[in-house]
Amino acid sequence: MGLLSDPSRRKVLTGLLTRLNTPICIVCYLAGIVWFMGLAFEPFTLRTYMSENAMGSTMVEERFSSGERALSLAKEFDAHKRKAGGMPVEWLVKAMQSRGLEVFTQSFSRKLPFPDENKERYMVRGTNVYGILRAPRAPRTEALVITAPCSPGNTNNQAVALLLALAQYFRNQIYWAKDIIFLVNEHDLIGTQAWLEGYHHTNITEYISGSLRGRAGSIQAALSLELSSDVITSLDLVLEGLNGQLPNLDLANLFYAFCQKLGVLCTIQGKLQRNDWDTAEGYTHAAQTMMLMVLKQACGRSWGDHGLFLRYHIEAASVRGINSFRHYKTDATTIGRLLEGMVRKLNNLLERLHQSYFFYLLPSLSRFVSIGYYMPAFGLLAVILLLRALDLWVHLGAPALAAVDGVTEAEQPSSPGVLTVLTPVVISHLTGVALYLLPVHLQEMAVEHFPVSETEAVVLTAIAIYTAGLALPHNTQRLLSGEGTEQGWKVLKLTALLYLAVLLGCTALINFSLGFILAVTLVPITASITPALYALVMVLLSPAFTILYCVFIYQELIEAPVSVSEGWMLFLSVISQGILDHALYGSLVYPLLALFIYPCWLMFWNILFWN
């Protein structure tokens, strides 16, 4: 404290930071990138461990043996689904009732703001079917959920059949201390969202749905089962939820523990764990797995039905059966025993999962990176904005030297008018409001005047407003104050740097991956921007191009590279999906980018054309 309270020492420190500002910023940026990439190196990570005492041991004897019965149920379910042309509601109700469950249905409908061309739907109507197994040894104040989405075609038939087989097996057991809800939802996430809103008596996304006549206790945890093939070679754990939320790490540890016990091949991000961490190939594999998790978390969408449960503080994960490794095969009985073991362990909980981490990254299922390890990487990038702001503040307060009658005198620099800085700030944010509101509201007008579909109209309108915003804000200060002065753009840059630092900091606290990706692209260009900088460099590091880069990187990481034209189509699909996710489920990524990140970037864009 003495260093900061002593005026002379404070002046020396300030002079040192301003004199070495650029080298320090470069070192911080490189250190942040190296720190982040080093997180995938196994000696820098922690081994996963069970924090919850009630789940610390896997000493549970799994006795489920109805795998063959589940396969026959899958064929029967498929036949009834084909006959009904969709989810066979009546057959499911009878099947659950015959297994001793209290069965209820929920009808729902939702008109999308514009057609979802990926799944070819606009007006969605469906029915959720769920059965409740009441706990025989408890006051029925808590519940667990097992859900299996009813997908079109023959996808996920095995999951629904396995859910019914588990319900029949669980009905004959007497050790349940929590109600167990078996949910078969239609139209994937839309059905799940409608059921959750009905269960918790909320309506935040304008769904039209019937009230739930049957309810259990407070939901403690949920498991979603998806089996994409008749032949399952491995089980993939999906954790990323809405707005980058993650379940408690103990849920992932529980899945991994039972996979190890039962000898089930398990993956995360579709990638197997490798033991050769000390080789270049082993490190690259771990880095790719971690980067996939970062990209999925940053997009803010729910990567499975489980992701919507997290909003209600319900720890949930999706177990996805995949057919990727030909030398292995997992039968339905083994999958059922794994789910039985997990549900029995969750049944033992006396309170919600809270002992382990909620903020983490996973290079593999056996290693994790906690928030205390990865946050410094973001901090090293964010501190660059504060250092540049400090440098500008010192220069703005320093008196300018001028020669009067051959004598050099210090002159106090003239401060720019408030409107000189306020005008570009206001116009930039109005452009962001237009980007947020107009694409959906102007789709009908665009369809009438141009030969495009509703979805294309929304996406192209968003791109048009984004592009038009590049022409609107720059040099707006001249409308009120004449020519821009050097003091004016420096004050605007100081304001924008502090604003961006706050934005990225708040984003990283909620969704580290999104905040870090934005910081990697925005920090270097915003910290070094002056009116002499090339506009092309600024455009290539804009938020839109950041999304485009992420699309190509993601395709490379999943080993499905695309051409430039295919990448562009995926980019357009990502934009439409982001707007839909915001309207349907409440994803915050699109409004964050449109209302805050893009206007902030426009403030720096305004500096480029100040003179």
Side-chain angles (χ1 to χ4, degrees), residues 293-314:
M293 184 174 185
V294 167
L295 290 174
K296 285 185 175 181
Q297 189 183 15
C299 77
R301 64 172 299 191
S302 177
W303 290 84
D305 287 354
H306 74 282
L308 300 180
F309 284 86
L310 297 174
R311 163 189 285 170
Y312 296 90
H313 303 287
I314 300 169

Side-chain angles (χ1 to χ4, degrees), residues 98-132:
S98 67
R99 286 159 176 79
L101 305 181
E102 296 180 16
V103 186
F104 307 93
T105 61
Q106 179 203 30
S107 299
F108 63 89
S109 63
R110 180 64 159 92
K111 183 179 180 181
L112 277 59
F114 57 90
D116 183 358
E117 294 186 349
N118 292 335
K119 298 183 178 179
E120 299 180 351
R121 58 189 183 185
Y122 182 43
M123 184 64 195
V124 179
R125 291 185 177 89
T127 304
N128 294 322
V129 181
Y130 65 103
I132 303 176

Side-chain angles (χ1 to χ4, degrees), residues 100 126 131 157 159-160 213 257 341 346 418 448 596:
N157 291 341
V160 176
R213 290 176 296 167
L346 293 171
V418 174
E448 290 178 1
F596 298 101

Side-chain angles (χ1 to χ4, degrees), residues 464-484:
I465 295 173
Y466 185 95
T467 306
L470 305 184
L472 287 176
H474 71 77
N475 275 352
T476 51
Q477 77 284 353
R478 293 188 180 184
L479 298 176
L480 298 174
S481 307
E483 289 196 16

